[in-house]
Amino acid sequence: MDHSERVVQCRDGKYRWLYEMSLYTNPTVLMLVMKIMGWVIVGIWVFLIIIELCDGPSWEGLWDVTVTFFFMFLLMMALCVVGYFVYALMVGGKYVVLFEMDDNGVMHKQMPPGVKKAQLIGRITALAGVATGKPGMVSSGMRVAARTQMHSDFKSVRSVEPFPRRHLIKVNAPFNYNQVYVGKEDYDFVLNYILDHTTRKNK
């Protein structure tokens, strides 16, 4: 399956594309934060329940702990939502990511809030350096722009979950849960590429 010009294959063999996600209309990041915080609270609740049981079962004590953590759970979820939208306002409501993908894996590189899409496109236009036989221009430009990154090794991937309505592909490996975003026009291409190198290949 073909891809659009938004996904560029460089002379180093890697596919690169830029994805800009609205933090207001796409709930993926918010859901991830709430999920992590929720499991932390549940873990603490289970730990305290075990301690309560070890001290001698008391239904009143178990109920008090459960009610306390229920309200704590609601409070933390509310704080997650408020904090998320404050963060979204601070970064202009955009989550900008650069992706690099080859036969070995896929890299998710988050761009700093201060870097605008036009600047990033300018750096990706350093891909013109590829056309002139200077791939080093591209890699150096991308390193300067990237703030945080996560790499998924295809050999370690255990499952791939597509969410086309959110332009999201979850690439799951032990202790490594990567989120790959790609536009509608290239979604099938990227999904099939990942599947061909992970679940299909690893069976």
Side-chain angles (χ1 to χ4, degrees), residues 61-138:
L62 293 175
W63 176 253
D64 289 342
V65 171
T66 300
V67 170
T68 300
F69 270 83
F70 175 73
F71 285 107
M72 182 181 295
F73 177 85
L74 294 180
L75 175 62
M76 294 308 298
M77 293 302 101
L79 289 175
C80 282
V81 172
V82 173
Y84 173 83
F85 282 104
V86 169
Y87 170 77
L89 287 171
M90 291 173 61
V91 299
K94 300 292 183 182
Y95 180 77
V96 184
V97 194
L98 173 72
F99 291 96
E100 296 181 353
M101 181 175 70
D102 59 15
D103 292 343
N104 298 316
V106 58
M107 178 79 77
H108 173 139
K109 295 184 177 183
Q110 181 183 349
M111 299 294 111
V115 177
K116 301 190 180 195
K117 185 177 180 180
Q119 293 174 302
L120 293 174
I121 291 176
R123 284 182 179 168
I124 291 182
T125 320
L127 293 170
V130 172
T132 60
K134 299 176 182 176
M137 292 173 57
V138 180

Coordinates of all heavy atoms in Angstrom, one line a residue, residues 61-138:
G61 N -13.4 -1.0 59.3 CA -12.1 -0.4 58.8 C -12.0 -0.5 57.3 O -11.5 0.4 56.7
L62 N -12.4 -1.7 56.8 CA -12.3 -1.9 55.3 C -13.2 -0.9 54.6 O -12.8 -0.3 53.5 CB -12.7 -3.3 54.9 CG -11.8 -4.4 55.4 CD1 -12.4 -5.8 55.1 CD2 -10.4 -4.3 54.8
W63 N -14.4 -0.7 55.1 CA -15.3 0.3 54.5 C -14.8 1.7 54.6 O -14.9 2.4 53.6 CB -16.7 0.2 55.3 CG -17.7 1.2 54.8 CD1 -18.1 2.3 55.4 CD2 -18.4 1.2 53.5 NE1 -19.0 3.0 54.6 CE2 -19.2 2.3 53.5 CE3 -18.4 0.3 52.4 CZ2 -20.0 2.6 52.4 CZ3 -19.2 0.6 51.3 CH2 -20.0 1.7 51.3
D64 N -14.2 2.1 55.7 CA -13.6 3.4 55.8 C -12.5 3.7 54.8 O -12.4 4.7 54.2 CB -13.1 3.7 57.3 CG -14.2 3.8 58.3 OD1 -15.4 4.0 57.9 OD2 -13.9 3.6 59.5
V65 N -11.6 2.7 54.7 CA -10.5 2.8 53.7 C -11.1 2.9 52.3 O -10.6 3.7 51.5 CB -9.5 1.6 53.8 CG1 -8.5 1.6 52.7 CG2 -8.8 1.6 55.2
T66 N -12.0 2.1 52.0 CA -12.6 2.1 50.6 C -13.3 3.4 50.3 O -13.1 3.9 49.2 CB -13.6 0.9 50.5 OG1 -12.9 -0.3 50.7 CG2 -14.2 0.9 49.1
V67 N -14.1 3.9 51.2 CA -14.8 5.2 51.0 C -13.8 6.3 50.8 O -13.9 7.2 49.9 CB -15.7 5.5 52.2 CG1 -16.3 6.9 52.1 CG2 -16.9 4.5 52.2
T68 N -12.7 6.3 51.7 CA -11.7 7.4 51.6 C -11.0 7.3 50.2 O -10.9 8.4 49.6 CB -10.7 7.2 52.7 OG1 -11.3 7.3 54.0 CG2 -9.6 8.2 52.6
F69 N -10.7 6.1 49.8 CA -10.0 6.1 48.5 C -10.9 6.3 47.3 O -10.5 6.7 46.2 CB -9.3 4.7 48.4 CG -7.9 4.7 48.9 CD1 -7.6 4.6 50.2 CD2 -6.8 5.0 48.0 CE1 -6.4 4.6 50.7 CE2 -5.5 5.0 48.5 CZ -5.3 4.9 49.9
F70 N -12.2 6.0 47.5 CA -13.2 6.3 46.4 C -13.2 7.8 46.2 O -13.1 8.3 45.0 CB -14.6 5.8 46.8 CG -15.6 6.2 45.8 CD1 -15.7 5.6 44.6 CD2 -16.5 7.2 46.1 CE1 -16.7 6.0 43.7 CE2 -17.5 7.6 45.2 CZ -17.6 7.0 44.0
F71 N -13.3 8.6 47.3 CA -13.3 10.1 47.1 C -12.0 10.6 46.6 O -11.9 11.6 45.9 CB -13.8 10.7 48.4 CG -15.3 10.6 48.7 CD1 -15.7 9.8 49.7 CD2 -16.2 11.3 47.9 CE1 -17.1 9.6 49.9 CE2 -17.5 11.2 48.2 CZ -18.0 10.3 49.1
M72 N -10.9 10.0 47.1 CA -9.6 10.3 46.6 C -9.5 10.1 45.1 O -8.9 10.9 44.4 CB -8.5 9.6 47.4 CG -7.1 10.0 47.0 SD -5.8 9.0 47.9 CE -6.1 9.6 49.5
F73 N -10.0 9.0 44.7 CA -10.0 8.6 43.2 C -10.7 9.7 42.4 O -10.2 10.2 41.4 CB -10.7 7.3 43.0 CG -10.7 6.8 41.6 CD1 -9.7 6.2 41.0 CD2 -11.9 7.1 40.9 CE1 -9.7 5.8 39.6 CE2 -12.0 6.7 39.5 CZ -10.9 6.1 38.9
L74 N -11.9 10.1 42.9 CA -12.7 11.1 42.2 C -11.9 12.5 42.2 O -11.9 13.2 41.1 CB -14.0 11.3 42.8 CG -15.0 10.1 42.8 CD1 -16.3 10.5 43.5 CD2 -15.3 9.8 41.3
L75 N -11.3 12.8 43.3 CA -10.5 14.0 43.4 C -9.4 14.0 42.4 O -9.1 15.0 41.7 CB -10.1 14.3 44.8 CG -9.1 15.5 45.0 CD1 -9.9 16.8 44.7 CD2 -8.6 15.5 46.5
M76 N -8.6 12.9 42.4 CA -7.4 12.8 41.5 C -7.8 12.9 40.0 O -7.1 13.5 39.2 CB -6.6 11.6 41.8 CG -6.0 11.6 43.2 SD -5.0 13.1 43.5 CE -3.7 12.9 42.3
M77 N -9.0 12.2 39.7 CA -9.4 12.3 38.3 C -9.8 13.7 37.9 O -9.5 14.2 36.8 CB -10.7 11.4 38.1 CG -10.4 9.9 38.3 SD -9.1 9.2 37.1 CE -7.6 9.2 38.2
A78 N -10.4 14.4 38.8 CA -10.8 15.8 38.6 C -9.5 16.7 38.4 O -9.4 17.5 37.5 CB -11.6 16.4 39.7
L79 N -8.5 16.4 39.3 CA -7.3 17.2 39.2 C -6.5 16.9 37.9 O -5.9 17.7 37.3 CB -6.4 16.9 40.4 CG -6.8 17.4 41.7 CD1 -5.9 16.9 42.9 CD2 -6.8 19.0 41.7
C80 N -6.6 15.6 37.4 CA -6.0 15.2 36.2 C -6.6 16.0 35.0 O -5.9 16.5 34.1 CB -6.2 13.7 35.9 SG -5.1 12.7 36.8
V81 N -7.9 16.1 35.0 CA -8.6 16.9 33.9 C -8.2 18.3 34.0 O -7.9 18.9 32.9 CB -10.1 16.7 34.1 CG1 -10.9 17.6 33.1 CG2 -10.6 15.2 33.9
V82 N -8.2 18.9 35.2 CA -7.9 20.3 35.3 C -6.4 20.6 34.9 O -6.1 21.5 34.1 CB -8.1 20.8 36.7 CG1 -7.6 22.3 36.9 CG2 -9.6 20.8 37.1
G83 N -5.5 19.7 35.4 CA -4.1 19.8 35.0 C -3.9 19.6 33.6 O -3.0 20.3 33.0
Y84 N -4.6 18.7 33.0 CA -4.4 18.5 31.5 C -4.8 19.7 30.7 O -4.0 20.1 29.8 CB -5.3 17.3 31.1 CG -5.4 17.0 29.7 CD1 -4.4 16.3 29.0 CD2 -6.4 17.5 28.9 CE1 -4.5 16.0 27.7 CE2 -6.5 17.3 27.5 CZ -5.5 16.5 26.9 OH -5.6 16.3 25.6
F85 N -5.9 20.3 31.0 CA -6.3 21.5 30.2 C -5.4 22.7 30.5 O -5.2 23.5 29.6 CB -7.8 21.8 30.5 CG -8.7 20.9 29.7 CD1 -9.4 19.9 30.4 CD2 -8.9 21.0 28.3 CE1 -10.2 19.0 29.7 CE2 -9.7 20.2 27.6 CZ -10.4 19.2 28.3
V86 N -4.9 22.8 31.7 CA -3.9 23.9 32.0 C -2.7 23.6 31.1 O -2.1 24.6 30.5 CB -3.5 23.9 33.5 CG1 -2.3 24.8 33.7 CG2 -4.7 24.4 34.3
Y87 N -2.2 22.4 31.1 CA -1.0 22.0 30.3 C -1.3 22.3 28.8 O -0.5 22.9 28.1 CB -0.7 20.6 30.4 CG 0.3 20.1 29.5 CD1 1.7 20.4 29.6 CD2 0.0 19.3 28.4 CE1 2.6 19.9 28.7 CE2 0.9 18.8 27.4 CZ 2.2 19.2 27.6 OH 3.2 18.7 26.7
A88 N -2.5 22.0 28.3 CA -2.9 22.2 27.0 C -2.9 23.7 26.6 O -2.4 24.1 25.5 CB -4.3 21.6 26.7
L89 N -3.3 24.5 27.5 CA -3.3 26.0 27.3 C -1.9 26.5 27.2 O -1.5 27.3 26.4 CB -4.1 26.7 28.4 CG -5.6 26.6 28.4 CD1 -6.2 27.2 29.7 CD2 -6.1 27.3 27.2
M90 N -1.0 25.9 28.1 CA 0.4 26.4 28.1 C 1.1 26.0 26.8 O 2.0 26.8 26.4 CB 1.1 25.7 29.3 CG 0.6 26.2 30.7 SD 1.4 25.3 32.0 CE 3.1 25.6 31.8
V91 N 0.8 24.9 26.2 CA 1.5 24.5 25.0 C 0.7 24.8 23.7 O 1.0 24.4 22.6 CB 1.8 23.0 25.0 CG1 2.7 22.7 26.2 CG2 0.6 22.1 25.0
G92 N -0.3 25.7 23.8 CA -1.1 26.1 22.7 C -2.0 25.0 22.1 O -2.5 25.1 21.0
G93 N -2.4 24.1 23.0 CA -3.4 23.1 22.6 C -2.9 22.0 21.6 O -3.7 21.3 21.1
K94 N -1.6 22.0 21.4 CA -1.1 21.0 20.4 C 0.0 20.1 21.0 O 0.8 20.5 21.8 CB -0.4 21.8 19.2 CG -1.4 22.8 18.5 CD -2.4 22.0 17.7 CE -3.3 22.9 16.9 NZ -4.4 22.2 16.2
Y95 N -0.1 18.9 20.5 CA 0.9 17.9 20.9 C 1.6 17.4 19.6 O 0.9 16.9 18.7 CB 0.2 16.7 21.5 CG 1.2 15.5 21.9 CD1 2.0 15.7 23.1 CD2 1.2 14.4 21.2 CE1 2.8 14.6 23.5 CE2 2.1 13.3 21.6 CZ 2.9 13.5 22.7 OH 3.7 12.4 23.1
V96 N 2.8 17.8 19.4 CA 3.5 17.6 18.1 C 4.6 16.6 18.3 O 5.4 16.6 19.2 CB 4.2 19.0 17.7 CG1 4.8 18.8 16.3 CG2 3.1 20.1 17.6
V97 N 4.5 15.6 17.4 CA 5.4 14.4 17.5 C 6.0 14.1 16.1 O 5.4 14.2 15.1 CB 4.6 13.2 17.9 CG1 5.6 12.1 18.3 CG2 3.7 13.5 19.0
L98 N 7.3 13.8 16.1 CA 8.0 13.3 15.0 C 8.1 11.8 15.1 O 8.5 11.3 16.1 CB 9.4 13.9 14.8 CG 10.3 13.4 13.7 CD1 9.7 13.8 12.4 CD2 11.7 13.8 13.9
F99 N 7.8 11.0 14.0 CA 8.0 9.6 14.0 C 9.0 9.2 13.0 O 9.1 9.7 11.9 CB 6.6 8.9 13.7 CG 5.6 9.0 14.8 CD1 4.7 10.0 14.7 CD2 5.6 8.2 15.9 CE1 3.7 10.2 15.7 CE2 4.7 8.4 16.9 CZ 3.7 9.4 16.8
E100 N 9.8 8.2 13.4 CA 10.8 7.5 12.6 C 10.6 6.0 12.6 O 10.5 5.5 13.7 CB 12.2 7.9 13.0 CG 12.6 9.3 12.9 CD 14.0 9.6 13.4 OE1 14.7 8.6 13.9 OE2 14.5 10.7 13.3
M101 N 10.5 5.4 11.4 CA 10.1 4.0 11.4 C 11.0 3.3 10.3 O 11.1 3.8 9.2 CB 8.6 3.8 11.0 CG 8.1 2.4 10.9 SD 6.3 2.4 10.7 CE 6.2 3.0 9.0
D102 N 11.5 2.1 10.7 CA 12.3 1.3 9.7 C 12.0 -0.2 10.1 O 11.1 -0.5 10.9 CB 13.8 1.6 9.7 CG 14.4 1.4 11.1 OD1 13.8 0.7 12.0 OD2 15.5 1.9 11.3
D103 N 12.7 -1.1 9.5 CA 12.5 -2.5 9.7 C 12.8 -3.0 11.1 O 12.3 -4.0 11.5 CB 13.4 -3.3 8.7 CG 13.0 -3.1 7.3 OD1 11.9 -2.7 7.0 OD2 13.8 -3.5 6.4
N104 N 13.5 -2.2 11.9 CA 13.8 -2.6 13.3 C 12.8 -2.1 14.3 O 12.6 -2.8 15.3 CB 15.2 -2.0 13.7 CG 16.3 -2.6 12.8 OD1 16.3 -3.8 12.5 ND2 17.2 -1.7 12.3
G105 N 12.2 -1.0 14.0 CA 11.2 -0.5 15.0 C 10.7 0.9 14.6 O 10.9 1.4 13.5
V106 N 10.0 1.5 15.6 CA 9.4 2.8 15.4 C 9.7 3.7 16.6 O 9.7 3.3 17.7 CB 7.8 2.8 15.2 CG1 7.2 2.1 16.3 CG2 7.3 4.1 14.9
M107 N 10.1 5.0 16.3 CA 10.5 5.9 17.3 C 9.5 7.1 17.4 O 9.1 7.6 16.3 CB 11.9 6.5 16.9 CG 12.4 7.6 17.9 SD 13.1 6.9 19.4 CE 14.7 6.4 18.7
H108 N 9.1 7.4 18.6 CA 8.2 8.4 18.9 C 8.9 9.6 19.6 O 9.5 9.4 20.6 CB 7.1 7.8 19.8 CG 6.1 8.8 20.4 ND1 4.8 8.5 20.5 CD2 6.2 10.1 20.9 CE1 4.1 9.5 21.1 NE2 5.0 10.5 21.3
K109 N 9.0 10.7 18.9 CA 9.8 11.8 19.4 C 8.9 13.0 19.7 O 8.4 13.6 18.7 CB 10.9 12.2 18.5 CG 12.0 11.2 18.3 CD 13.1 11.7 17.4 CE 14.3 10.7 17.2 NZ 15.4 11.2 16.4
Q110 N 8.7 13.4 20.9 CA 7.9 14.5 21.3 C 8.7 15.8 21.1 O 9.8 15.9 21.5 CB 7.4 14.4 22.7 CG 6.5 15.6 23.1 CD 6.1 15.5 24.6 OE1 6.3 14.5 25.2 NE2 5.5 16.6 25.1
M111 N 8.0 16.8 20.4 CA 8.7 18.1 20.2 C 8.4 19.1 21.3 O 7.4 19.0 22.0 CB 8.2 18.7 18.9 CG 8.4 17.8 17.7 SD 10.2 17.7 17.3 CE 10.5 16.0 17.7
P112 N 9.4 19.9 21.6 CA 9.2 20.9 22.7 C 8.0 21.8 22.4 O 7.7 22.1 21.2 CB 10.5 21.7 22.7 CG 11.5 20.8 22.0 CD 10.7 20.0 21.0
P113 N 7.3 22.3 23.4 CA 6.1 23.2 23.2 C 6.5 24.4 22.4 O 5.6 24.9 21.6 CB 5.7 23.5 24.6 CG 6.2 22.4 25.5 CD 7.5 22.0 24.8
G114 N 7.7 25.0 22.6 CA 8.0 26.2 21.9 C 8.3 26.1 20.4 O 8.3 27.0 19.7
V115 N 8.4 24.8 19.9 CA 8.7 24.6 18.5 C 7.4 24.5 17.8 O 6.6 23.7 18.1 CB 9.5 23.3 18.3 CG1 9.8 23.1 16.9 CG2 10.9 23.4 19.1
K116 N 7.2 25.4 16.8 CA 6.0 25.4 16.0 C 6.1 24.5 14.8 O 7.1 24.1 14.4 CB 5.7 26.9 15.6 CG 5.6 27.8 16.8 CD 5.1 29.1 16.4 CE 5.0 30.0 17.6 NZ 4.3 31.1 17.6
K117 N 4.9 24.2 14.3 CA 4.8 23.2 13.2 C 5.6 23.7 12.0 O 6.3 22.9 11.4 CB 3.3 23.0 12.8 CG 3.2 21.9 11.8 CD 1.7 21.7 11.5 CE 1.5 20.6 10.5 NZ 0.1 20.4 10.1
A118 N 5.5 25.0 11.8 CA 6.3 25.6 10.6 C 7.8 25.3 10.8 O 8.5 25.0 9.8 CB 6.0 27.0 10.4
Q119 N 8.3 25.5 12.0 CA 9.7 25.3 12.2 C 10.1 23.8 12.0 O 11.1 23.5 11.4 CB 10.0 25.7 13.7 CG 9.9 27.2 14.0 CD 10.1 27.5 15.4 OE1 9.4 27.0 16.3 NE2 11.1 28.3 15.7
L120 N 9.2 22.9 12.5 CA 9.4 21.5 12.3 C 9.4 21.1 10.9 O 10.2 20.3 10.4 CB 8.4 20.7 13.1 CG 8.5 20.8 14.6 CD1 7.3 20.1 15.3 CD2 9.8 20.3 15.1
I121 N 8.4 21.6 10.1 CA 8.4 21.3 8.7 C 9.6 21.8 8.0 O 10.2 21.2 7.1 CB 7.1 22.0 8.1 CG1 5.9 21.3 8.6 CG2 7.2 21.9 6.5 CD1 4.6 21.9 8.1
G122 N 10.1 23.0 8.5 CA 11.4 23.5 7.9 C 12.5 22.5 8.2 O 13.4 22.3 7.4
R123 N 12.5 21.9 9.4 CA 13.6 20.9 9.7 C 13.4 19.6 8.9 O 14.4 19.0 8.5 CB 13.6 20.6 11.2 CG 14.2 21.8 12.0 CD 14.3 21.5 13.4 NE 14.9 22.6 14.1 CZ 14.9 22.8 15.4 NH1 14.3 21.9 16.2 NH2 15.5 23.9 15.9
I124 N 12.2 19.2 8.7 CA 11.9 18.0 8.0 C 12.3 18.3 6.5 O 12.7 17.5 5.8 CB 10.5 17.6 8.1 CG1 10.3 17.1 9.5 CG2 10.2 16.5 7.1 CD1 8.9 16.5 9.8
T125 N 12.2 19.6 6.1 CA 12.6 19.9 4.8 C 14.1 19.8 4.6 O 14.6 19.8 3.6 CB 12.2 21.4 4.5 OG1 11.0 21.7 5.0 CG2 12.1 21.6 3.0
A126 N 14.7 19.6 5.8 CA 16.1 19.3 5.8 C 16.2 17.9 5.1 O 17.3 17.5 4.7 CB 16.7 19.2 7.2
L127 N 15.1 17.3 4.9 CA 15.1 16.0 4.2 C 15.5 16.3 2.7 O 15.8 15.4 2.0 CB 13.7 15.4 4.2 CG 13.2 14.9 5.6 CD1 11.8 14.5 5.6 CD2 14.1 13.7 5.9
A128 N 15.4 17.6 2.4 CA 15.9 18.0 1.0 C 17.4 17.7 1.0 O 18.0 17.5 0.0 CB 15.6 19.4 0.8
G129 N 18.0 17.7 2.2 CA 19.4 17.4 2.3 C 19.6 16.0 1.9 O 20.7 15.6 1.4
V130 N 18.6 15.1 2.1 CA 18.7 13.7 1.7 C 18.8 13.7 0.2 O 19.6 12.9 -0.4 CB 17.5 12.9 2.2 CG1 17.5 11.6 1.6 CG2 17.5 12.8 3.7
A131 N 18.0 14.5 -0.4 CA 18.0 14.5 -1.9 C 19.3 15.0 -2.5 O 19.7 14.6 -3.6 CB 16.9 15.4 -2.4
T132 N 20.0 15.8 -1.7 CA 21.3 16.3 -2.2 C 22.5 15.4 -1.7 O 23.6 15.8 -1.7 CB 21.5 17.7 -1.7 OG1 21.5 17.8 -0.3 CG2 20.5 18.6 -2.3
G133 N 22.1 14.3 -1.0 CA 23.1 13.4 -0.6 C 23.7 13.7 0.8 O 24.9 13.4 1.1
K134 N 23.0 14.5 1.6 CA 23.5 14.9 2.9 C 22.5 14.5 4.0 O 21.9 15.3 4.7 CB 23.7 16.4 2.9 CG 24.7 16.9 1.9 CD 24.7 18.4 1.9 CE 25.7 18.9 0.9 NZ 25.8 20.4 0.8
P135 N 22.3 13.2 4.3 CA 21.4 12.7 5.3 C 21.8 13.2 6.7 O 20.9 13.2 7.6 CB 21.5 11.2 5.2 CG 22.8 10.9 4.5 CD 23.0 12.1 3.6
G136 N 23.0 13.5 6.9 CA 23.4 14.0 8.2 C 22.7 15.2 8.6 O 22.5 15.5 9.8
M137 N 22.3 16.1 7.7 CA 21.6 17.3 7.9 C 20.3 17.0 8.6 O 19.8 17.7 9.5 CB 21.4 18.1 6.6 CG 22.6 18.7 6.0 SD 22.3 19.4 4.4 CE 21.0 20.6 4.8
V138 N 19.6 15.9 8.1 CA 18.3 15.5 8.7 C 18.4 15.0 10.1 O 17.8 15.5 11.0 CB 17.7 14.4 7.8 CG1 16.4 14.0 8.4 CG2 17.6 14.9 6.4

